[in-house]
Short mmCIF file of all heavy atoms in Angstrom, two decimals:
data_model
loop_
_atom_site.label_atom_id
_atom_site.label_comp_id
_atom_site.label_asym_id
_atom_site.label_seq_id
_atom_site.Cartn_x
_atom_site.Cartn_y
_atom_site.Cartn_z
N MET A 25 -111.75 109.46 131.15
CA MET A 25 -110.70 108.56 131.63
C MET A 25 -110.93 107.13 131.15
O MET A 25 -109.98 106.42 130.83
CB MET A 25 -110.61 108.60 133.16
CG MET A 25 -110.13 109.93 133.74
SD MET A 25 -108.41 110.34 133.31
CE MET A 25 -108.63 111.35 131.85
N ALA A 26 -112.18 106.71 131.05
CA ALA A 26 -112.49 105.37 130.51
C ALA A 26 -112.04 105.28 129.06
O ALA A 26 -111.45 104.27 128.64
CB ALA A 26 -113.98 105.07 130.65
N ALA A 27 -112.31 106.31 128.28
CA ALA A 27 -111.88 106.33 126.87
C ALA A 27 -110.36 106.32 126.78
O ALA A 27 -109.78 105.64 125.92
CB ALA A 27 -112.46 107.55 126.16
N LEU A 28 -109.70 107.04 127.65
CA LEU A 28 -108.24 107.07 127.68
C LEU A 28 -107.70 105.67 127.99
O LEU A 28 -106.75 105.21 127.35
CB LEU A 28 -107.77 108.08 128.73
CG LEU A 28 -106.28 108.36 128.80
CD1 LEU A 28 -106.05 109.77 129.31
CD2 LEU A 28 -105.56 107.37 129.69
N LEU A 29 -108.29 105.00 128.96
CA LEU A 29 -107.85 103.64 129.31
C LEU A 29 -108.01 102.70 128.11
O LEU A 29 -107.13 101.88 127.83
CB LEU A 29 -108.63 103.11 130.51
CG LEU A 29 -108.31 103.77 131.85
CD1 LEU A 29 -109.30 103.31 132.91
CD2 LEU A 29 -106.88 103.50 132.28
N GLU A 30 -109.13 102.82 127.41
CA GLU A 30 -109.35 102.00 126.22
C GLU A 30 -108.25 102.26 125.18
O GLU A 30 -107.72 101.33 124.58
CB GLU A 30 -110.73 102.27 125.61
CG GLU A 30 -111.87 101.62 126.35
CD GLU A 30 -112.05 100.14 125.99
OE1 GLU A 30 -111.60 99.68 124.92
OE2 GLU A 30 -112.66 99.44 126.81
N GLN A 31 -107.93 103.55 124.98
CA GLN A 31 -106.87 103.91 124.02
C GLN A 31 -105.52 103.33 124.44
O GLN A 31 -104.68 103.04 123.59
CB GLN A 31 -106.77 105.43 123.87
CG GLN A 31 -107.91 106.06 123.13
CD GLN A 31 -107.91 105.65 121.67
OE1 GLN A 31 -106.90 105.74 121.00
NE2 GLN A 31 -109.04 105.18 121.18
N ALA A 32 -105.33 103.19 125.74
CA ALA A 32 -104.07 102.65 126.27
C ALA A 32 -104.08 101.13 126.34
O ALA A 32 -103.13 100.51 126.82
CB ALA A 32 -103.79 103.24 127.64
N GLY A 33 -105.19 100.50 125.89
CA GLY A 33 -105.25 99.05 125.83
C GLY A 33 -105.89 98.36 127.01
O GLY A 33 -105.84 97.13 127.13
N ILE A 34 -106.53 99.11 127.91
CA ILE A 34 -107.23 98.52 129.05
C ILE A 34 -108.68 98.30 128.64
O ILE A 34 -109.40 99.25 128.35
CB ILE A 34 -107.16 99.42 130.31
CG1 ILE A 34 -105.72 99.83 130.62
CG2 ILE A 34 -107.81 98.73 131.49
CD1 ILE A 34 -104.77 98.68 130.86
N SER A 35 -109.12 97.06 128.63
CA SER A 35 -110.40 96.70 128.03
C SER A 35 -111.59 96.85 128.97
O SER A 35 -111.70 96.17 129.98
CB SER A 35 -110.35 95.25 127.54
OG SER A 35 -111.62 94.84 127.09
N TYR A 36 -112.51 97.74 128.58
CA TYR A 36 -113.78 97.88 129.28
C TYR A 36 -114.62 96.62 129.09
O TYR A 36 -115.25 96.14 130.03
CB TYR A 36 -114.53 99.11 128.78
CG TYR A 36 -115.94 99.23 129.29
CD1 TYR A 36 -116.17 99.58 130.61
CD2 TYR A 36 -117.03 98.99 128.46
CE1 TYR A 36 -117.47 99.69 131.10
CE2 TYR A 36 -118.32 99.10 128.94
CZ TYR A 36 -118.54 99.46 130.26
OH TYR A 36 -119.81 99.56 130.74
N ASP A 37 -114.60 96.05 127.90
CA ASP A 37 -115.39 94.85 127.62
C ASP A 37 -114.96 93.70 128.53
O ASP A 37 -115.79 92.95 129.04
CB ASP A 37 -115.27 94.44 126.16
CG ASP A 37 -115.99 95.39 125.23
OD1 ASP A 37 -116.93 96.07 125.68
OD2 ASP A 37 -115.61 95.47 124.05
N LYS A 38 -113.66 93.54 128.73
CA LYS A 38 -113.16 92.50 129.63
C LYS A 38 -113.65 92.75 131.05
O LYS A 38 -114.03 91.83 131.76
CB LYS A 38 -111.64 92.46 129.57
CG LYS A 38 -111.03 91.34 130.37
CD LYS A 38 -109.51 91.32 130.17
CE LYS A 38 -108.88 90.24 131.02
NZ LYS A 38 -107.42 90.23 130.88
N TYR A 39 -113.65 94.01 131.46
CA TYR A 39 -114.15 94.38 132.79
C TYR A 39 -115.62 93.99 132.93
O TYR A 39 -116.01 93.35 133.90
CB TYR A 39 -113.97 95.88 133.03
CG TYR A 39 -114.72 96.41 134.23
CD1 TYR A 39 -114.26 96.17 135.52
CD2 TYR A 39 -115.89 97.13 134.07
CE1 TYR A 39 -114.96 96.64 136.62
CE2 TYR A 39 -116.59 97.61 135.16
CZ TYR A 39 -116.12 97.37 136.43
OH TYR A 39 -116.82 97.82 137.51
N ILE A 40 -116.43 94.34 131.95
CA ILE A 40 -117.87 94.04 131.98
C ILE A 40 -118.10 92.53 132.04
O ILE A 40 -118.92 92.06 132.82
CB ILE A 40 -118.59 94.67 130.76
CG1 ILE A 40 -118.66 96.18 130.91
CG2 ILE A 40 -119.98 94.09 130.57
CD1 ILE A 40 -119.48 96.67 132.08
N LYS A 41 -117.38 91.78 131.24
CA LYS A 41 -117.53 90.32 131.26
C LYS A 41 -117.20 89.75 132.63
O LYS A 41 -117.81 88.79 133.08
CB LYS A 41 -116.66 89.68 130.19
CG LYS A 41 -117.21 89.89 128.79
CD LYS A 41 -116.30 89.30 127.74
CE LYS A 41 -116.84 89.64 126.36
NZ LYS A 41 -115.92 89.29 125.30
N GLY A 42 -116.23 90.36 133.31
CA GLY A 42 -115.83 89.90 134.64
C GLY A 42 -116.85 90.20 135.73
O GLY A 42 -116.78 89.63 136.82
N LEU A 43 -117.79 91.07 135.45
CA LEU A 43 -118.79 91.43 136.46
C LEU A 43 -119.82 90.33 136.68
O LEU A 43 -120.44 90.26 137.73
CB LEU A 43 -119.51 92.73 136.07
CG LEU A 43 -118.69 94.00 136.12
CD1 LEU A 43 -119.54 95.18 135.64
CD2 LEU A 43 -118.13 94.27 137.51
N GLY A 44 -120.03 89.51 135.69
CA GLY A 44 -121.01 88.44 135.82
C GLY A 44 -122.42 88.91 135.53
O GLY A 44 -122.65 90.00 135.01
N VAL A 45 -123.39 88.09 135.90
CA VAL A 45 -124.79 88.32 135.55
C VAL A 45 -125.43 89.44 136.36
O VAL A 45 -126.20 90.23 135.83
CB VAL A 45 -125.59 87.01 135.73
CG1 VAL A 45 -127.05 87.23 135.39
CG2 VAL A 45 -125.01 85.91 134.87
N ASN A 46 -125.14 89.55 137.63
CA ASN A 46 -125.78 90.54 138.49
C ASN A 46 -124.76 91.48 139.12
O ASN A 46 -124.45 91.38 140.30
CB ASN A 46 -126.58 89.84 139.60
CG ASN A 46 -127.72 89.03 139.05
OD1 ASN A 46 -128.48 89.53 138.23
ND2 ASN A 46 -127.84 87.79 139.48
N PRO A 47 -124.24 92.40 138.33
CA PRO A 47 -123.22 93.30 138.88
C PRO A 47 -123.82 94.24 139.93
O PRO A 47 -124.99 94.58 139.88
CB PRO A 47 -122.74 94.09 137.65
CG PRO A 47 -123.88 94.03 136.70
CD PRO A 47 -124.55 92.70 136.94
N ILE A 48 -123.00 94.60 140.88
CA ILE A 48 -123.40 95.52 141.95
C ILE A 48 -122.59 96.79 141.80
O ILE A 48 -121.36 96.73 141.73
CB ILE A 48 -123.18 94.89 143.33
CG1 ILE A 48 -124.03 93.62 143.48
CG2 ILE A 48 -123.48 95.90 144.44
CD1 ILE A 48 -123.73 92.82 144.71
N ALA A 49 -123.26 97.91 141.76
CA ALA A 49 -122.57 99.20 141.65
C ALA A 49 -122.03 99.63 143.01
O ALA A 49 -122.64 99.38 144.03
CB ALA A 49 -123.53 100.25 141.12
N ASN A 50 -120.86 100.25 142.99
CA ASN A 50 -120.27 100.77 144.22
C ASN A 50 -120.94 102.05 144.68
O ASN A 50 -121.02 102.32 145.87
CB ASN A 50 -118.78 101.03 144.02
CG ASN A 50 -117.99 99.76 143.89
OD1 ASN A 50 -118.00 98.92 144.78
ND2 ASN A 50 -117.31 99.59 142.77
N PHE A 51 -121.40 102.85 143.73
CA PHE A 51 -121.96 104.16 144.06
C PHE A 51 -123.46 104.18 143.84
O PHE A 51 -123.95 103.80 142.78
CB PHE A 51 -121.30 105.25 143.21
CG PHE A 51 -119.81 105.34 143.40
CD1 PHE A 51 -118.95 105.04 142.36
CD2 PHE A 51 -119.27 105.71 144.62
CE1 PHE A 51 -117.57 105.13 142.53
CE2 PHE A 51 -117.91 105.79 144.80
CZ PHE A 51 -117.05 105.50 143.75
N ALA A 52 -124.18 104.66 144.83
CA ALA A 52 -125.65 104.70 144.77
C ALA A 52 -126.15 105.75 143.78
O ALA A 52 -127.27 105.65 143.31
CB ALA A 52 -126.22 104.96 146.17
N ASP A 53 -125.34 106.75 143.49
CA ASP A 53 -125.82 107.88 142.68
C ASP A 53 -125.35 107.86 141.22
O ASP A 53 -125.48 108.86 140.52
CB ASP A 53 -125.43 109.20 143.34
CG ASP A 53 -123.92 109.38 143.49
OD1 ASP A 53 -123.17 108.41 143.29
OD2 ASP A 53 -123.50 110.50 143.84
N THR A 54 -124.83 106.74 140.75
CA THR A 54 -124.36 106.71 139.36
C THR A 54 -125.29 105.95 138.42
O THR A 54 -124.99 105.81 137.24
CB THR A 54 -122.96 106.08 139.26
OG1 THR A 54 -123.01 104.76 139.78
CG2 THR A 54 -121.93 106.93 139.98
N LYS A 55 -126.42 105.49 138.94
CA LYS A 55 -127.41 104.79 138.12
C LYS A 55 -126.78 103.65 137.33
O LYS A 55 -127.03 103.47 136.14
CB LYS A 55 -128.13 105.76 137.19
CG LYS A 55 -128.91 106.82 137.94
CD LYS A 55 -129.62 107.76 137.00
CE LYS A 55 -130.38 108.78 137.83
NZ LYS A 55 -130.35 110.09 137.30
N ASN A 56 -125.92 102.89 138.02
CA ASN A 56 -125.23 101.76 137.40
C ASN A 56 -124.46 102.14 136.14
O ASN A 56 -124.43 101.40 135.17
CB ASN A 56 -126.19 100.61 137.11
CG ASN A 56 -126.72 99.98 138.38
OD1 ASN A 56 -126.04 99.99 139.41
ND2 ASN A 56 -127.91 99.43 138.33
N ASP A 57 -123.84 103.30 136.16
CA ASP A 57 -122.98 103.73 135.07
C ASP A 57 -121.68 102.95 135.20
O ASP A 57 -120.81 103.30 136.01
CB ASP A 57 -122.74 105.24 135.15
CG ASP A 57 -121.88 105.77 134.02
OD1 ASP A 57 -121.02 105.02 133.51
OD2 ASP A 57 -122.05 106.94 133.66
N PHE A 58 -121.54 101.89 134.43
CA PHE A 58 -120.40 101.01 134.60
C PHE A 58 -119.11 101.56 134.01
O PHE A 58 -118.04 101.02 134.27
CB PHE A 58 -120.73 99.59 134.14
CG PHE A 58 -121.63 98.90 135.13
CD1 PHE A 58 -122.97 98.75 134.87
CD2 PHE A 58 -121.13 98.48 136.35
CE1 PHE A 58 -123.80 98.15 135.81
CE2 PHE A 58 -121.95 97.89 137.29
CZ PHE A 58 -123.30 97.72 137.02
N LEU A 59 -119.17 102.65 133.25
CA LEU A 59 -117.93 103.32 132.87
C LEU A 59 -117.31 103.96 134.10
O LEU A 59 -116.09 103.91 134.31
CB LEU A 59 -118.17 104.37 131.78
CG LEU A 59 -118.34 103.83 130.36
CD1 LEU A 59 -118.68 104.96 129.41
CD2 LEU A 59 -117.10 103.09 129.89
N ILE A 60 -118.14 104.58 134.94
CA ILE A 60 -117.65 105.15 136.19
C ILE A 60 -117.12 104.04 137.09
O ILE A 60 -116.03 104.15 137.67
CB ILE A 60 -118.74 105.98 136.89
CG1 ILE A 60 -119.06 107.24 136.08
CG2 ILE A 60 -118.32 106.35 138.32
CD1 ILE A 60 -120.23 108.05 136.58
N GLU A 61 -117.85 102.94 137.17
CA GLU A 61 -117.42 101.81 137.99
C GLU A 61 -116.10 101.23 137.47
O GLU A 61 -115.23 100.84 138.25
CB GLU A 61 -118.50 100.74 138.02
CG GLU A 61 -119.81 101.20 138.64
CD GLU A 61 -119.75 101.39 140.14
OE1 GLU A 61 -118.85 100.83 140.81
OE2 GLU A 61 -120.62 102.10 140.67
N PHE A 62 -115.95 101.17 136.16
CA PHE A 62 -114.72 100.67 135.52
C PHE A 62 -113.53 101.52 135.95
O PHE A 62 -112.50 100.99 136.40
CB PHE A 62 -114.92 100.70 134.00
CG PHE A 62 -113.70 100.47 133.17
CD1 PHE A 62 -112.90 99.36 133.34
CD2 PHE A 62 -113.37 101.38 132.16
CE1 PHE A 62 -111.78 99.14 132.53
CE2 PHE A 62 -112.26 101.17 131.36
CZ PHE A 62 -111.46 100.05 131.54
N VAL A 63 -113.65 102.83 135.84
CA VAL A 63 -112.54 103.72 136.19
C VAL A 63 -112.27 103.65 137.70
O VAL A 63 -111.12 103.66 138.12
CB VAL A 63 -112.83 105.16 135.70
CG1 VAL A 63 -111.72 106.11 136.10
CG2 VAL A 63 -113.00 105.17 134.18
N HIS A 64 -113.33 103.51 138.48
CA HIS A 64 -113.16 103.34 139.93
C HIS A 64 -112.41 102.05 140.24
O HIS A 64 -111.53 102.01 141.11
CB HIS A 64 -114.53 103.36 140.62
CG HIS A 64 -114.46 103.14 142.09
ND1 HIS A 64 -114.78 101.94 142.67
CD2 HIS A 64 -114.08 103.96 143.10
CE1 HIS A 64 -114.62 102.02 143.98
NE2 HIS A 64 -114.18 103.24 144.27
N SER A 65 -112.74 100.98 139.54
CA SER A 65 -112.09 99.68 139.78
C SER A 65 -110.59 99.74 139.47
O SER A 65 -109.82 98.95 139.99
CB SER A 65 -112.75 98.58 138.96
OG SER A 65 -112.38 98.65 137.60
N CYS A 66 -110.19 100.68 138.63
CA CYS A 66 -108.78 100.87 138.29
C CYS A 66 -108.07 101.75 139.32
O CYS A 66 -106.85 101.96 139.23
CB CYS A 66 -108.65 101.49 136.90
SG CYS A 66 -109.28 100.45 135.57
N GLY A 67 -108.81 102.28 140.28
CA GLY A 67 -108.22 103.13 141.31
C GLY A 67 -107.94 104.55 140.87
O GLY A 67 -107.20 105.27 141.52
N ILE A 68 -108.57 104.97 139.80
CA ILE A 68 -108.32 106.30 139.25
C ILE A 68 -109.23 107.35 139.87
O ILE A 68 -108.83 108.48 140.10
CB ILE A 68 -108.46 106.27 137.72
CG1 ILE A 68 -107.33 105.41 137.15
CG2 ILE A 68 -108.45 107.67 137.12
CD1 ILE A 68 -107.47 105.06 135.70
N ILE A 69 -110.47 106.96 140.15
CA ILE A 69 -111.41 107.90 140.76
C ILE A 69 -111.91 107.33 142.08
O ILE A 69 -111.95 106.12 142.28
CB ILE A 69 -112.61 108.19 139.84
CG1 ILE A 69 -113.40 106.91 139.54
CG2 ILE A 69 -112.17 108.90 138.58
CD1 ILE A 69 -114.70 107.12 138.81
N ASN A 70 -112.26 108.23 142.95
CA ASN A 70 -112.88 107.88 144.23
C ASN A 70 -114.20 108.62 144.33
O ASN A 70 -114.44 109.58 143.60
CB ASN A 70 -112.00 108.30 145.41
CG ASN A 70 -110.74 107.47 145.49
OD1 ASN A 70 -110.74 106.28 145.18
ND2 ASN A 70 -109.66 108.10 145.89
#
């Protein structure tokens, strides 16, 4: 889904830049996988 969003013009890089220096992951079990966090921030996954 993250790759699909990129293909549709939704920028993962812009999302990462917006996180700042010390990003906090929403999910304890994703090992700070920010692709998962990116898609979650778009409201696509829960």
Side-chain angles (χ1 to χ4, degrees):
M25 293 295 94
L28 186 151
L29 290 171
E30 283 279 339
Q31 288 292 310
I34 308 301
S35 174
Y36 171 72
D37 289 336
K38 185 176 178 182
Y39 167 75
I40 288 296
K41 287 178 185 171
L43 290 177
V45 179
N46 296 311
I48 298 171
N50 290 302
F51 300 115
D53 61 348
T54 59
K55 297 181 180 141
N56 293 331
D57 182 330
F58 286 104
L59 282 175
I60 292 173
E61 298 289 339
F62 169 55
V63 178
H64 178 257
S65 76
C66 296
I68 294 169
I69 61 171
N70 291 325

